[in-house]
Amino acid sequence: MRLDKFLADTTDLTRSLATKAVKQGRVLVNGEKPKSASAKVDESDEVTLDGEVLTLESGFRYFIMNKPLGHVCTHRDSTHPLVFDLLDGVVNRMDLHTVGRLDMDTTGLLLITDDGQWSHHLTSPKHHQPKTYRAWLAEDLRTDAEEKLAKGIVLEDDPEPTKPAQLERVTEREVLLTIHEGRYHQVRRMFAALGNHVEKLHREKMGCMQLDPALKEGEFRPLTDDEIDALAHG
């Protein structure tokens, strides 16, 4: 592997900035300054940048985040902060993507990975992965809400009824809703179809994965091997 690619894969440097770092003498390979950024390195070589040993990670990466309010699930936005900006210490963040999306005004469980097949399994409609949201409503919930949601309801500008959903009342204005698909702003639109308005929305569960209570808003951690495997086979 070329040295500039190795540096780009193990740090936040682009390949052009990696080349510049080599020219500035900030990079050592086995304790010596390389002649150029095109020098070849492999796993047996010790590469340092500013005295810090760099390690090339192998395999895919998987994270769980407690998404905070106001962040968007994209790599570029001229107005709003990005969830990827919260991944302190994670390199090559442009290679990562969110597993599905939470809109800017929704908080809670968010999975992030660079494994496209794993992500597809979790978001593909044919797998019907359940997602549970806690919603706070503007008005008391109508008495027949459970029945209507269990049968499926028609959303505005969408002739196809929703798949059956399960509703649990915490109070008349706080509920848990489990859905098995992922239409655009689906939870908010479902309650709108019931004549109500969602004031606050928080995702607590996706598939078999519950939001880690130890994660504060904006915090993240890698998934364990058991969690990755359980989600892949859920």
Side-chain angles (χ1 to χ4, degrees):
M1 178 185 293
R2 283 173 55 115
L3 178 57
D4 54 357
K5 184 178 189 312
F6 179 91
L7 292 168
D9 287 348
T10 54
T11 70
D12 284 329
L13 298 177
T14 62
R15 290 182 74 159
S16 61
L17 288 176
T19 299
K20 185 175 181 180
V22 172
K23 290 180 178 179
Q24 292 172 336
R26 297 167 56 200
V27 179
L28 298 179
V29 179
N30 300 322
E32 299 181 356
K33 292 182 180 180
K35 294 181 180 180
S36 75
S38 63
K40 299 293 185 179
V41 295
D42 58 35
E43 294 179 356
S44 65
D45 293 314
E46 181 184 82
V47 181
T48 62
L49 173 65
D50 298 329
E52 180 181 351
V53 177
L54 304 178
T55 302
L56 185 64
E57 294 184 8
S58 59
F60 294 116
R61 296 171 291 170
Y62 309 84
F63 303 99
I64 179 174
M65 175 184 287
N66 186 352
K67 177 191 172 295
L69 197 67
H71 285 66
V72 294
C73 298
T74 181
H75 279 290
R76 290 185 176 87
D77 191 287
S78 60
T79 307
H80 306 104
L82 316 178
V83 294
F84 299 101
D85 294 336
L86 300 170
L87 297 174
D88 291 337
V90 177
V91 300
N92 295 323
R93 284 175 277 187
M94 290 294 290
D95 294 338
L96 297 166
H97 63 271
T98 61
V99 182
R101 291 188 177 188
L102 293 179
D103 63 48
M104 182 178 66
D105 298 323
T106 302
T107 61
L109 189 156
L110 184 65
L111 300 176
I112 300 173
T113 186
D114 51 6
D115 185 344
Q117 185 173 350
W118 184 82
S119 176
H120 176 73
H121 172 80
L122 289 170
T123 56
S124 173
K126 71 178 183 179
H127 291 123
H128 308 296
Q129 289 282 359
K131 296 176 282 289
T132 300
Y133 295 81
R134 186 177 296 270
W136 289 264
L137 307 174
E139 301 177 13
D140 287 356
L141 193 63
R142 55 191 290 173
T143 57
D144 61 349
E146 288 89 346
E147 179 182 356
K148 286 188 172 295
L149 292 169
K151 289 181 177 179
I153 57 176
V154 175
L155 307 177
E156 185 177 359
D157 299 326
D158 193 341
E160 184 70 21
T162 60
K163 295 183 183 301
Q166 294 73 51
L167 178 73
E168 177 186 341
R169 295 179 193 240
V170 179
T171 69
E172 290 306 309
R173 296 195 182 190
E174 181 182 345
V175 300
L176 292 172
L177 179 67
T178 299
I179 62 175
H180 303 268
E181 52 190 333
R183 305 189 198 186
Y184 179 72
H185 289 173
Q186 182 174 341
V187 174
R188 297 179 187 276
R189 293 167 66 205
M190 290 173 79
F191 284 110
L194 295 175
N196 216 317
H197 173 73
V198 175
E199 293 190 328
K200 183 179 177 183
L201 190 61
H202 181 79
R203 184 158 69 188
E204 296 194 347
K205 191 174 182 181
M206 183 173 184
C208 62
M209 190 73 198
Q210 192 88 25
L211 181 61
D212 189 337
L215 289 179
K216 298 178 182 178
E217 281 200 3
E219 292 185 341
F220 72 99
R221 67 165 174 80
L223 292 175
T224 66
D225 290 342
D226 286 344
E227 289 169 340
I228 296 166
D229 187 63
L231 283 164
H233 295 93

